């Protein structure tokens, strides 16, 4: 699970980050509102921990802007502002939860787990396009009513393409969000291309209409009809 911490106090950010990484979370930290806004509009996160008192654009401004763009990622506000009115304003701006500093780390973990459960329960259990159907709960895939047998990695790759259907997905994005590898000295391009080729054979073979397309020089796209 990927978590973004938006906190300008370095010691606080480091403490939260170390604690979350100790719980095996993938953590990214930003110190400014501008940095947080860029991250959340170019990358995917499961939860955002947002401080309000940020340099430049403050947390409330960032939160309102993200919600206005339709971003549904759960946001937990962490702030020293403890007045009732501050909490009301934060929640009205689009926060999903609100914690006052200082707080117990165990409670923070519990709140994060609750937000993730809430978010997942709101997600659909089925994804699909055309005659391709995926049940993300049972992890079963079928095309034209016939089961498609996928490896764990192929399932994750297809799920990612389904969730971003109609949009071009780059190899760099797949390496980061599916393979979760961002620190390699060599790119994963060849590995990704091999998995795409295998997935294409399983999903598109023996079917008249291709769903998985290569956009030359850019990446891949899942859609009905040529991109």
């Amino acid at each position: 699970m990927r978590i973004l911490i938006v906190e300008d106090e370095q010691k606080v950010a480091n403490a939260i980050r170390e604690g979350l990484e100790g719980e095996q979370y993938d953590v990214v930290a930003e110190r400014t509102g501008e940095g947080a806004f860029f991250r959340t509009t170019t990358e995917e996160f499961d939860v955002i921990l947002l401080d309000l008192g940020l340099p430049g654009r403050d947390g409330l401004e960032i939160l309102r802007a993200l919600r206005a763009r339709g971003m549904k990622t759960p946001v937990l506000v962490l702030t020293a502002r403890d007045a009732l009115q501050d909490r009301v304003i934060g929640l009205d701006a689009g926060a999903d939860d609100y914690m006052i500093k200082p707080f117990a780390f165990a409670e923070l973990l519990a709140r994060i787990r609750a937000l993730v459960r809430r978010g997942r329960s709101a997600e659909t259990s089925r994804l699909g396009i055309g005659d391709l159907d995926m049940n993300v709960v049972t992890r079963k895939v079928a095309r034209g009513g016939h089961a498609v047998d996928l490896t764990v990695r192929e399932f994750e790759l297809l799920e990612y393409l389904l969730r971003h259907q109609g949009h071009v997905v780059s190899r760099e994005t797949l390496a980061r969000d599916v393979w979760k590898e961002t620190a390699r000295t060599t790119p994963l391009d060849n590995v990704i291309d091999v998995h795409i080729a295998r997935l294409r054979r399983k999903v598109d073979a023996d079917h008249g209409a291709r769903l998985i397309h290569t956009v030359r020089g850019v990446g891949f796209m899942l859609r009905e009809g040529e991109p």
Side-chain angles (χ1 to χ4, degrees):
M1 187 168 72
R2 203 157 187 253
I3 298 177
L4 173 64
I5 303 170
V6 188
E7 171 61 67
D8 64 320
E9 294 185 38
Q10 195 66 47
K11 287 185 178 180
V12 175
N14 288 344
I16 296 174
R17 180 173 194 158
E18 290 173 6
L20 292 176
E21 288 179 340
E23 297 292 325
Q24 306 305 309
Y25 291 118
D26 180 12
V27 184
V28 174
E30 283 290 342
R31 298 186 64 181
T32 68
E34 289 84 355
F37 186 79
F38 177 78
R39 284 274 193 181
T40 52
T41 53
T42 58
E43 302 178 29
E44 291 195 357
F45 297 94
D46 297 287
V47 176
I48 299 172
L49 307 182
L50 179 65
D51 182 33
L52 296 185
L54 299 170
R57 302 172 71 181
D58 71 14
L60 284 177
E61 184 182 349
I62 296 299
L63 181 54
R64 291 190 181 104
L66 293 174
R67 293 309 191 212
R69 292 171 66 97
M71 191 206 73
K72 300 184 184 301
T73 305
V75 175
L76 172 56
V77 167
L78 305 176
T79 181
R81 304 176 189 176
D82 59 355
L84 174 60
Q85 186 60 27
D86 289 325
R87 279 177 277 176
V88 171
I89 292 172
L91 293 169
D92 284 346
D96 296 276
D97 202 353
Y98 202 103
M99 287 189 72
I100 306 298
K101 299 176 183 177
F103 49 81
F105 185 72
E107 182 181 359
L108 175 63
L109 287 176
R111 301 262 190 129
I112 290 172
R113 290 193 294 266
L115 287 177
V116 172
R117 285 196 302 270
R118 192 184 310 165
R120 285 176 177 168
S121 66
E123 290 181 357
T124 177
S125 63
R126 305 188 81 87
L127 299 170
I129 181 172
D131 60 351
L132 176 67
D133 179 74
M134 170 183 283
N135 188 313
V136 297
V137 176
T138 63
R139 299 181 72 83
K140 292 183 178 180
V141 177
R143 181 154 190 203
H146 299 284
V148 179
D149 185 25
L150 301 178
T151 65
V152 172
R153 182 68 77 193
E154 289 165 353
F155 184 94
E156 292 172 345
L157 180 56
L158 181 59
E159 180 183 2
Y160 193 86
L161 292 173
L162 278 166
R163 292 190 184 279
H164 297 82
Q165 59 184 273
H167 299 279
V168 179
V169 178
S170 68
R171 292 174 178 84
E172 181 182 2
T173 300
L174 292 173
R176 183 192 68 215
D177 294 341
V178 178
W179 270 261
K180 308 294 185 184
E181 296 200 31
T182 58
R184 285 175 60 96
T185 56
T186 56
L188 277 166
D189 291 7
N190 290 337
V191 174
I192 292 171
D193 287 349
V194 168
H195 278 79
I196 286 287
R198 291 174 179 169
L199 186 61
R200 184 179 277 130
R201 285 197 296 270
K202 293 182 178 182
V203 170
D204 285 341
D206 303 323
H207 292 274
R210 288 192 305 140
L211 296 176
I212 302 173
H213 306 273
T214 298
V215 181
R216 190 174 301 276
V218 184
F220 308 98
M221 176 185 288
L222 186 72
R223 61 163 289 166
E224 293 185 275
E226 294 296 323

